[in-house]
Structure formats: C-alpha cells, structure tokens
Amino acid sequence: MSGIRIKNLRKSFGTYTALHGIDLQVPNGTLLALLGPSGCGKSTTLQLLAGFEAPTEGEIWADDVLLSSARGVLPPEKRGISLVFQNYAVWPHKTVAENVAFGLAIRRLPKAEIAERLDRTLRTVRLEALRDRYPSELSGGQQQRVALARALAVEPRILLLDEPLSNLDAHLREEMRFEIRQVHDLLGLTTVYVTHDQSEALVTADRIAVMKSGHLQQLGSPEDIFERPSNAFVATFIGANNELAGTSEGNGAIRVGSHVLTAPDRSGAAHGGTVSLCVRPSQVRLFGAEEKGLPAEGCNVLSGTVRRSAYLGEYRDVLVDLGGGRTLRAFIPPAQSFAPGSVVTALLPIGSCQILGPAA
Amino acid sequence: MGVISTDSPDSAAAATARPVMARVPLARTVVFGAVALLLFLLVVLPFGWVLNNSFHDDLTGAWTLGNYARIFQSADLLEPLFNSLLLAVATAVIAVGIGVPLAWLVSRTDLPFRRTIRVLTLTAFVTPSFIGATGWILLAAPNSGWLNALWRSLAGAEAGPLLNIYSMTGAIFICGIYTVPYSFTMVSSALDEMAVELEDAAATLGSGTLRTMLSITIPLVTPAVIASFILSFIQGLTLFGVPAFLLTPTGIPVVTTKLAEFYQLFPPEIYMAAAYCMPLLLVTAMLFWMRRRILGRKQFVTISGKSRAGRRIALGAARWPAFGAALLLPLVSVFLPYAALLLVSLTRAWGQGLSWENLSLHWYWWALFGNSETHTAIVNSLLFSTLAATMCVMLGTVVAYIVERRMVFGASLFGAVATVPIIIPGIVMSVGFFAAYTRAPLNLYGTPLLLVAAFAATFLPIAYAHGGSILKGIGPELERAARSLGAGEGRTFLSITIPLMGGGLLSGWFLVFIPIIRELSVAVFLITPKTNVMTTLIYNAKDGGNYEAVCAMSVLLLLITLALVAAAGPLTRLTTVRRTSRKSGRKTAPAEGVLPT
C-alpha cells in the first residue's frame, strides 16, 4: 500500500488541455473520490495514474517511487496499480476463476498460493458459487464483482475505480456503494474512485476531490465539501443549492439586484468582485406575505411569488420567483402549502448562507 | 511489490535531469523493427525497384526516360493499352449489367432457390478465371469446341463455327462472367444490410413498390454499384490468365500479356517491362482512390450468407422465368466449363471420343503420383499457400494491432504501406519481386521463399484490413485490464487479444489462402521448375496441348479450393472461443484445473 502524491500534473492533447496542473495527495489507506462532471479531467487523471497516458508536465509519486513524469512513464504492468473499468472489461473468453487468477499466474506464484488467494478473493466478493461461469452468464452486478475481485487478487498497492457503478441499475448501484466501502474497510487499500455521482462520492469516500474543466476545485472530507464548499461550483455540484449571483459589497456583504445580503464570506473577492450567495433549499423558510411576527432575526429577508410547488411526500419543493430573472428553491414542510401566484417572504438564515466566488 | 525506483521525493527535484525508469523495452524494439523491415522488404523494395528499373535502359543500363517515351511513340505498345481499356470497360459493363439485377432478384424478391443461386454465384467467385477459360476453350474453340461441333451437326458441316472463344469477344465474355460475382456480392450485401424500415417509411407515405425502388432502394445502393463497377474495371484491366489463354494465340495483345512478352524476348527487356507497368499502376491507383472516396473507409466487402428477414417483392408470373434467367450465369460460369473439364480429365485420350473404355482416372493418378512435375506443383501449391497465408495473416494482424492501438509514433504509416499492394496488379507484383530478388545481396530466385513472400505481399491488404476490423470490435479496456494486472504488451497481445480475435483470425487465414492458391499472375515470372505451382503448371502445360492432364490439374485445383471454402465456415465456428460454460455453475472444478498456468 502506498500513498499517492500528484504534483502539478498537466496533460494536453494537441491544443486541448485536459488537466491544468493538479496537486493532490492521497494518504496511505484512504479512499479518495475524484468527482466532477464529464470532461472535468477526472478520467484523464485516472489514465495518468494507471500509466496508460504520459503527463505533459508534472509528476506522480507512489510513496517514494516516481511513477510518471514528462520524461517517462513506468509501464502499467510494473506499477502494482489495479484498475476496475466502467464497462468491467471482464474477459469473455475466461471463466470467473480464470479472470481472477490471471494476475496471479502472471506473477508466477506457486499453484497452492494461487488457489488459496483465488478462493479468498472470490469469498471476499461472494463469487465462490460462480467460479466456473463465463461472463456472458453473469448479471451486470456479478461482472462488476468479478472485475473487482480480479483487481484485488493481485494485492495491489493502489486500487483505481473508474465509474464502477455507472452501468448498474439504480437499486444495485446503491447496494454496491456500501459493498465497495466495506471491501475498502476490510483491506485498507489506497483507492481512487472516479465518479460523476455526488451521492456515490459522499457515501464511499474518505476524501473528495471536486474537479471542473481540468482544475481541482476543492479537496476535503465529505463534510467539508458539503458544508464548506470552496466556491459556487462546488456548492451547486454537491447537493441541491441556490446560487444568487451578485457583486461583493466588501467583507460579508453581497449586492443581489437591489438587495444587500449578508453572509459568512469565503470568496476572498475584493469590493465589486463577482460572487454568489449560496444557500441550500432545505435551509430556506417560507411565510405568507401577510404573516406577522416572522422570526427574521439573523436572517436575510427576500420576497417573491410562488411559481410552482411540487409535493414530494417528505417535503414540498417550492420555486419562488424573486424578480429580475432570479429564482429561489425552498424545501418546506409538507404541512405548509402555497398556491402558485401567492406572494411569500423567504427567510435565509445568515449562518446557512455563504458568499462564494466562481469556479477556479 | 514492484518498487522500481528508489528516488526519494526530496532528491527528485535535484534529479530532474535524470530520465525516469521507462526505457523502450528490447522486445518492443525488436517487434517494431521486424515489422518495419518486413514491410520494407515486401512492399517498398519491390515497388522501388520497379520504379528504379523503369528509368534504365535494357541494353546499356544507363539512366533514361526512353522507356516511357517508347510507350507513347510505338503503336506496338499503345495498342495493348487500348485493348486493355476495352476489355476493362466491357468487363465492368457485363459485371454490373448482370450482377446488379441478379443481386436484386436474390436479395429482394421471392425468386425460387435463392440460396442455390447465391451458392452457385459464390462458386463462380472462387473459380480461377483462367480455368474457366480453359473450360470454354473445350466448349467454344472454333473447330474442336463441342458447342461448335453441335452447331455443325445441326446446321450442316459447311456452316462456319458458331462461337470463337479465341477473340476479344470471347475474352470479354470470360472476364465478364467471372467478374459478375464481385458486383453481385457487393450489391447484394448492400441490399441485405439496408434497413427494411427505409422502404417501409416510403410505403407508409403512399409510395408504390416501383416508386419506392426507384427513389429509395436504388439511390441507397448506388455507391455499392459504382464501387463494384470500379472493381470490375480493375479486374478486366489486370487479369493475366484469360488474355494469355484466349488472346495471345490470335495475336491480340493487352498490357498484361505484353508484360509477359518482354520477359520472353531475348535478351529480355526487363527495364522496359518496369516502365510498362506504370500506366497500369496509375490507372489502378486512381480507381482505388475513387472507390475509397465513394465507399468511405469501408474498403472490403464481407461476404455474408444471411438472408433478409423482411418482406420480399412478389414476382408473380415472372417468378420462374426470372429463375431461368438467374440460372444463366451459373450455367455458363460453372456447369458448362466444369462439365467440360471433368469429362476431358476423365478420358484416357480425348481424341478417341466418349466411350466406356476411354473413361479412366488415369490422368488424376498421373498428376498426383505418376509425374514428378505435377506432383511437385501440387505439393508446392499447398505448402507455399499455407506458408504465405500464415505469414500474411501474422504480419497483417500485428500491423493492424500497432495501427489500431497507435502503439508507436507514425503507426498509421505502417498501415498505409500494408495497404499499398491493393493497387498493384498481380503481374506488376511479379515484375517487382523479380526485380528486387533476382540480384545480390538478396538473390532468392529459385527458392520457395520468393514465391511465398510475393504471395504474402500481394494479399497483405486483405489480412491487414480484416485484422483491423476484428480489432475494432475488441475494446482496449480488455487489454488495459491485463496490463494493470502485470501483463506486458506482448503477454497481453498473446493471452487476451489473440484469443479474443479467435475464429476471426482463422477466417482471415482462409480469406487469404483461397486467393493465393488460385493466383497465377503473381507467380508467373517467379517460378522455376523446382518451385512451380499448380496455376503456373496449368498455364505452361496448356501450350503443350496435353489437355487431359491440364484438365485433371484444373479439376484438382478446383476441388481443393471448393473444399477449403466449404470447410472455412464450420472450422471458423469451431475455433471461436467458447464463451459459455456447458454446465453452469453446478460442478466446481478443482482450482488448479481452471488456472491458466
């Protein structure tokens, strides 16, 4: 097992730059999720880590071993890094056992040890009963487990997972999330998990690296990412979010249209800089326009018109038109109800609001 | 595991000038070097020598443009060019004129015995046209031809011959009927692949059958029709055997036979022959370029036997007349010539007429065991074809892999070189290999290697394209998975890629073997008595007038070819890797039993 250190990693394909200098540390034994929309550079990072691509600039280290730099790349087969592919890449001409034992045979281990490790790995992913099946006779989830077992059997020092659940149906996906986390807890492998699904990242990862257009936006624990996003992009990408664009009025204040709102300021922007006020819909409270004695203490107060309201059982999802092309989403208790067209007052607790800058 | 570099992070900054661990492995260098060398020897060098020779004078060896000047100044050399163009245009017109309607009948209508017509057309496909010509010499030689004899017995002895196969018309007829299968296959597969919904969409908008055919079906297959016209044109232009058999005896020269003539002169005008290849090369290169433009990247047509599941156009009362018309091609390209060859080969002496006493397997026994020359040729044909097909598929597959996975900078150049022979007519290939390998330091004249290499080079484009199309269907992740588990590039190729290519490789082997064993023109300048093959033996023995032996050899060659075609399908299916377990999951084999040790 090794920790990973990525230093100023850049990758260009012709004139297109996929990665603009990424710095990233993955301590030994942690599970890092690389999270971002498609085209953010997360898969490129994974290909670089696995050794299938050479960086344009920068270095990748596994503990004190230099794996990749612009001057050379340790070939994939010499890295001790296992990779689980999005489409599983289980070899259709080999049985489950043959797939899993492939890496062990490559290492010329004694037969007895191969058999022992094969059995152990198959047990870990609960595939003992299917060992002589061919992949065409397995379900998607089972193939996924074969791919995982194959990667684990060789006892890699680093495990890479490339969108491993995106081809599974929703129900199975949820189950496999926990299974992957369980395997990680059992083996303690340094793992990099690429995904575009924020809830997958939140469930499985120790640390999350959010990426966009080849830049690292934030690296932190799931709580950091969700509660203290470093910019408006991260806030919007993770969970539901309201983003009210405006300009900075100095520390702790933002001008949104004619309103000046206050919130903890983490944008670092100068007076007049482009910033956004971010607040989760679950923190927004709505009241009828005629209601008196609102608990407005410590809140930003906005008013608007309800445009639509959807009943979702556990809460109501209400969209409020603030005028000037701005809208605000609020998740309110289902007992409360506003007809479209009714005028409402929205309270945004200052402590739940944040002033954030745009994406890096 | 796998700690390679012991650089500490702190020393890394200081060590920036030091190259990181990856060096190009030795094995990789060796493989790429070998592939580059083989491509150079098989394609670049022969072609280079033809080009070089074309600028030299045969008598003095000095640099000259005289050879080219002679082509345009001498009527002797211009006439074959015109004759070749005439033969090519007429061949293409016949091939498309018969092949397209036939394809439509088989693919789109309720013609009876469609499968049989398809199989018979395929039989014509694999019949070497010079053997067809031999059969037709027996049928339609002006005096001795059976059809002419039949005509005389009907019309009276003083009537002239009905047919004369030794004529431009005869050559056009033979080239035409043996090229029809090309256009038939291309157009029928275009029709088969076309989605029925496209026609149905027109029908739902109120278009009748005829209207649909004119405005939907025909435009959709037009590219295939044009491409098959071009391919047929090239066939007519580059065929050597048919004009050598049918036109040379009457003194009508075409480019390919004229090339052979240069070699038979004394002293042979080999440099002149090289220059004379150029007009041929220029035309084929241009036509292939046009064909590529029309077909896009889809260069080779796959021969598939699956029939369309959709509705078929009812021919009604025309059903049986149409069947009769569809049988005409198999009649003239398979039944009649095969019957003639078979009958003559089974008589002890053809001159004595058909009688029970005269029937015998004598000439087969003679060809197989009694005569060392024919025996050697049969063994050589099988051996050289096997070696050449194996070499061709191996090289083609490796080149396709390098190109498909972009393994080295400039990989596509490998692919381009491997494709070049497609524009080189067989007879020019023969000229090229003669030029390159009958001199020091690589004098291979008289060795089997010369023929094997020439055959492999000629059909390399087929093997390369076939390998590429299989590899396109194998996701690179399957290989990357193996790499990340510790398998090197070579190991990955052998244990993952090759098994996954499986039966496709074998079908590729047949795809190359079959045209090699029936190939005449590539071998024609390269053989020696020791390295004679069946095709060249038939070609040379024909002049000796021993028709019984020629026919026996021809029938043997046909039998071998047809047997291979018949075996190719089942064998390919058999070797396709099993991908389902016979007993699912029930019995658990001991771990050692299933391990790839």
Side-chain angles (χ1 to χ4, degrees), chain A residues 5 7 47 52-53 59 61 63-69 71-83 85 87 89-95 97-99 101-103 105-108 111-112 114-115 117-119 128-137 150-151 154-157, chain B residues 1-13 15-23 25 475-492 494-500 577-597:
Chain A
R5 277 176 310 109
K7 287 176 164 174
Q47 295 298 318
F52 293 116
E53 300 278 357
E59 291 168 353
W61 293 80
D63 286 344
D64 54 0
V65 182
L66 178 56
L67 296 180
S68 295
S69 83
R71 275 159 294 123
V73 172
L74 187 67
E77 63 268 24
K78 301 242 169 78
R79 295 188 162 216
I81 295 181
S82 283
L83 180 50
F85 293 86
N87 59 1
V90 174
W91 300 306
H93 64 300
K94 291 180 188 290
T95 61
E98 286 167 347
N99 262 284
F102 180 83
I106 292 278
R107 282 161 178 71
R108 298 182 190 285
K111 268 189 181 177
I114 292 183
R117 275 165 74 168
L118 174 61
D119 287 341
E128 307 103 301
L130 304 177
R131 57 185 302 149
D132 296 323
R133 295 269 187 102
Y134 280 88
S136 61
E137 301 162 311
R150 187 176 66 182
V154 297
E155 295 175 3
R157 54 182 178 188
Chain B
M1 65 193 74
V3 177
I4 305 299
S5 157
T6 50
D7 280 357
S8 79
D10 305 310
S11 69
T16 39
R18 182 137 47 107
V20 202
M21 43 278 150
R23 266 174 311 169
E477 314 82 41
L478 291 167
E479 288 157 7
R480 292 185 160 193
R483 295 290 304 281
S484 80
L485 292 175
E489 283 178 325
R491 175 90 185 237
T492 302
L494 293 177
S495 64
I496 304 296
T497 316
I498 290 290
L500 285 174
V577 182
R578 187 165 60 98
R579 283 168 194 191
T580 51
S581 60
R582 290 198 188 92
K583 287 174 218 142
S584 293
R586 275 295 161 89
K587 215 180 84 196
T588 322
E592 296 80 28
V594 295
L595 292 177
T597 41

Side-chain angles (χ1 to χ4, degrees), chain B residues 244 302 388:
Chain B
T302 48

Side-chain angles (χ1 to χ4, degrees), chain A residues 215-251:
Chain A
H215 292 278
L216 182 63
Q217 305 295 330
Q218 188 172 7
L219 173 65
S221 67
E223 291 82 359
D224 283 339
I225 301 281
F226 190 83
E227 289 162 20
R228 291 172 291 280
S230 62
N231 60 45
F233 169 77
V234 177
T236 305
F237 194 74
I238 309 285
N241 184 48
N242 286 301
E243 185 181 340
L244 299 171
T247 51
S248 176
E249 286 281 304
N251 200 17

Side-chain angles (χ1 to χ4, degrees), chain B residues 174-521:
Chain B
I174 298 295
C175 287
I177 60 172
Y178 288 103
T179 309
V180 167
Y182 287 82
S183 55
F184 169 83
T185 310
M186 290 177 80
V187 175
S188 73
S189 70
L191 285 167
D192 289 340
E193 281 165 24
M194 201 169 88
V196 192
E197 289 82 356
L198 297 174
E199 288 178 347
D200 289 351
T204 59
L205 295 173
S207 158
T209 305
L210 187 68
R211 177 73 188 268
T212 304
M213 199 174 110
L214 291 177
S215 58
I216 307 292
T217 318
I218 290 177
L220 279 172
V221 297
T222 301
V225 172
I226 296 173
S228 70
F229 186 90
I230 292 174
L231 200 72
S232 307
F233 187 95
I234 292 172
Q235 276 287 309
L237 193 66
T238 58
L239 272 178
F240 168 71
V242 175
F245 278 36
L246 301 180
L247 295 180
T248 306
T250 44
I252 304 172
V254 296
V255 176
T256 49
T257 54
K258 192 74 192 169
L259 277 170
E261 220 173 90
F262 287 124
Y263 278 76
Q264 285 152 4
L265 292 172
F266 191 82
E269 295 191 45
I270 287 166
Y271 294 169
M272 184 59 223
Y276 205 57
C277 288
M278 292 304 157
L280 206 55
L281 266 178
L282 201 70
V283 176
T284 51
M286 211 177 70
L287 288 168
F288 267 106
W289 178 77
M290 278 168 59
R291 173 166 171 258
R292 205 189 172 94
R293 287 286 303 266
I294 293 163
L295 280 188
R297 304 239 354 117
K298 191 179 162 192
Q299 282 213 26
F300 288 88
V301 178
T302 48
I303 304 159
S304 63
K306 65 166 187 260
S307 63
R308 206 171 93 101
R311 284 169 293 99
R312 296 184 166 274
I313 293 162
L315 292 172
R319 224 171 144 234
W320 289 99
F323 174 66
L327 262 185
L328 271 179
L329 179 78
L331 180 74
V332 297
S333 63
V334 178
F335 294 137
L336 284 177
Y338 275 45
L341 290 168
L342 198 63
L343 268 178
V344 172
S345 72
L346 287 173
T347 54
R348 195 175 292 276
W350 178 236
Q352 296 171 11
L354 261 183
S355 64
W356 282 113
E357 304 84 70
N358 199 13
L359 277 183
S360 102
L361 286 171
H362 168 78
W363 292 107
Y364 290 95
W365 187 89
W366 177 86
L368 286 168
F369 311 108
N371 179 293
S372 71
E373 217 186 339
T374 52
H375 177 80
T376 307
I378 292 168
V379 172
N380 281 349
S381 261
L382 290 170
L383 184 68
F384 297 175
S385 304
T386 305
L387 291 174
T390 307
M391 178 174 164
C392 189
V393 167
M394 281 170 66
L395 182 61
T397 304
V398 172
V399 172
Y401 189 71
I402 292 172
V403 173
E404 214 41 59
R405 300 290 185 252
R406 294 176 219 291
M407 293 178 73
V408 276
F409 181 74
S412 54
L413 185 68
F414 280 30
V417 173
T419 310
V420 163
I422 202 173
I423 65 158
I424 306 181
I427 194 92
V428 177
M429 209 60 164
S430 203
V431 172
F433 270 77
F434 186 87
Y437 298 113
T438 55
R439 66 176 72 223
L442 280 168
N443 193 343
L444 301 175
Y445 195 60
T447 66
L449 186 59
L450 181 63
L451 280 147
V452 170
F455 284 141
T458 307
F459 296 101
L460 186 59
I462 297 181
Y464 165 66
H466 186 75
S469 70
I470 306 172
L471 284 169
K472 278 194 180 73
I474 299 173
E477 314 82 41
L478 291 167
E479 288 157 7
R480 292 185 160 193
R483 295 290 304 281
S484 80
L485 292 175
E489 283 178 325
R491 175 90 185 237
T492 302
F493 182 69
L494 293 177
S495 64
I496 304 296
T497 316
I498 290 290
L500 285 174
M501 292 178 85
L505 278 177
L506 192 71
S507 76
W509 190 85
F510 280 108
L511 214 56
V512 178
F513 185 94
I514 291 163
I516 288 178
I517 200 167
R518 39 165 283 198
E519 177 65 37
L520 168 65
S521 55

